[in-house]
Every structure is written in structure tokens, then in C-alpha cells.
Amino acid sequence: MKSNFDFLNRYWPALAQIGANAESYIYSDPNACIYKTGMFAERLVQEIMLFEHIPEPEQDNTHSNRIRILKRAGLLPRDIDNTLYLLRKTRNSAVHTGTDSVEDAKTLVSLTYNLATWFMETYGDWGFIAPDFVMPADIKPADYE
């Protein structure tokens, strides 16, 4: 299956893999999908910090605080900050309360794709033109009974 996140393989294969994994779980395990979208956001924030030569905080080295540091540095547009916040909160909800809505998973994968395209345009290739996002199909495994 082709992933919406394949374009990230050029510079960030780990992000491409996390995005593809999130897509693959939308229907079969939406809780894992939601967790993976949060994981994607956390890895992306770490990549920005590396690129910008911003050291991770010695105190309170949490995803939330790393986002705050990038925000204070003027590196996150409002919509990107909002997306990172939402992905962080829903990942926590997936982990701690078992959130597992297919509709939420679909929305979060779409938002993660938008985050990925912003990241590519900002840190990878300024001339990058993102292909349209295509929601993965719900393909049921064959019933061999």
C-alpha cells in the first residue's frame, strides 16, 4: 500500500514509517493509530530542535515543554502549534483512557499529513508541492472459511 507519508522518506524515513504505520491502523486498531499520530508529532518536534540547534531542556524535558520552546522561538505558526497540541492530547487520551474512534483516527491522520507537508516545505524542500491527501481504504482481509 502506498502511504501518504512516502514523500518524507527522502529526508526523514523514520517519520515516513511512523506516518505509514498510523495510516495502516486507522480501521483495524484506531487506538494504535491515534498513538502513532502523537508519536509522529513528538518525533517531528525533536527533528525541528535538531535542525535549529536547540538543545533539549535539562529540566522538564517533556514533549509539551519542547513545543513551548519552539513556540517561544517563533518557529511554529499558530495552526501548527494547534495541531501539535491536539496530537499530544489525543495521544495521551489513547494511552491513558483507551480512545479508539475510527472517525477520530481518520481526522488525526489527515492533520498529521498536513503537519508533515508543512514540515517538508519548511525544513526539507521549499519547492515541495504536496499531493492531495488520500484517505486509506478500509480493506477487509479475505474470509477463507
Side-chain angles (χ1 to χ4, degrees):
M1 174 179 117
K2 183 174 175 4
S3 168
N4 286 293
F5 297 89
D6 283 347
F7 67 88
L8 293 170
N9 272 313
R10 181 173 173 194
Y11 301 111
W12 307 282
L15 283 174
Q17 185 62 54
I18 296 167
N21 287 343
E23 285 179 318
S24 74
Y25 290 130
I26 291 173
Y27 304 101
S28 64
D29 190 351
N31 176 269
C33 172
I34 293 167
Y35 172 78
K36 291 289 186 180
T37 61
M39 188 176 167
F40 182 96
E42 187 156 354
R43 178 66 182 257
L44 183 134
V45 165
Q46 291 170 330
E47 292 290 345
I48 293 171
M49 292 185 79
L50 283 170
F51 187 89
E52 298 289 349
H53 304 288
I54 299 172
E56 293 200 11
E58 291 181 24
Q59 301 287 324
D60 191 25
N61 189 9
T62 62
H63 181 48
S64 176
N65 194 38
R66 289 188 295 271
I67 292 170
R68 256 190 310 278
I69 289 167
L70 295 177
K71 188 175 170 180
R72 276 189 237 131
L75 297 169
L76 301 177
R78 180 182 296 273
D79 59 330
I80 297 301
D81 179 46
N82 289 342
T83 298
L84 290 170
Y85 175 82
L86 179 64
L87 293 174
R88 182 179 65 79
K89 293 301 277 184
T90 54
R91 185 211 33 206
N92 288 346
S93 179
V95 170
H96 299 293
T97 63
T99 300
D100 68 349
S101 160
V102 170
E103 289 308 311
D104 287 351
K106 290 165 86 175
T107 298
L108 294 170
V109 166
S110 176
L111 287 171
T112 302
Y113 176 78
N114 293 340
L115 183 63
T117 59
W118 168 82
F119 185 62
M120 175 59 99
E121 291 166 354
T122 304
Y123 290 96
D125 178 356
W126 290 356
F128 176 72
I129 297 177
D132 290 337
F133 175 79
V134 177
M135 186 59 65
D138 184 7
I139 300 171
K140 304 282 187 215
D143 183 6
Y144 293 108
E145 281 191 43

